[in-house]
Amino acid sequence: MPALVRDALVRHGLMEAYRARPPYQRNDYLGWISRAKRPETRAKRLAQMLDELAAGDRYMKMPYRARR
């Protein structure tokens, strides 16, 4: 996991929410953020991931419900 993402997850208290997501979602988020060429795009994507993890009801702007 890139330090940028790890630091943001820790700073926002969302590491557990991130770890609770299925592996494919975690990988998708990391790849999506890492593939951004511009720093502004990386920051925007990271912010979206953090918002979605905090809300707990979205994944890549799609509805998401955690399995129990």
Side-chain angles (χ1 to χ4, degrees), residues 21 29 48-56 58-61:
R21 293 294 178 111
Y29 274 134
Q48 179 182 326
M49 181 192 76
L50 295 172
D51 289 345
E52 291 177 355
L53 290 174
R58 292 181 314 266
Y59 163 68
M60 299 288 190
K61 296 187 179 182

Side-chain angles (χ1 to χ4, degrees), residues 4-42:
L4 170 77
V5 175
R6 183 178 49 250
D7 294 346
L9 288 169
V10 170
R11 189 171 50 253
H12 289 89
L14 293 170
M15 186 61 80
E16 289 305 314
Y18 174 81
R19 288 184 178 143
R21 293 294 178 111
Y24 77 90
Q25 287 187 10
R26 296 189 305 244
N27 289 338
D28 285 351
Y29 274 134
L30 293 180
W32 181 58
I33 293 166
S34 296
R35 283 190 303 273
K37 296 192 186 327
R38 297 174 50 200
E40 302 84 26
T41 305
R42 260 191 308 280

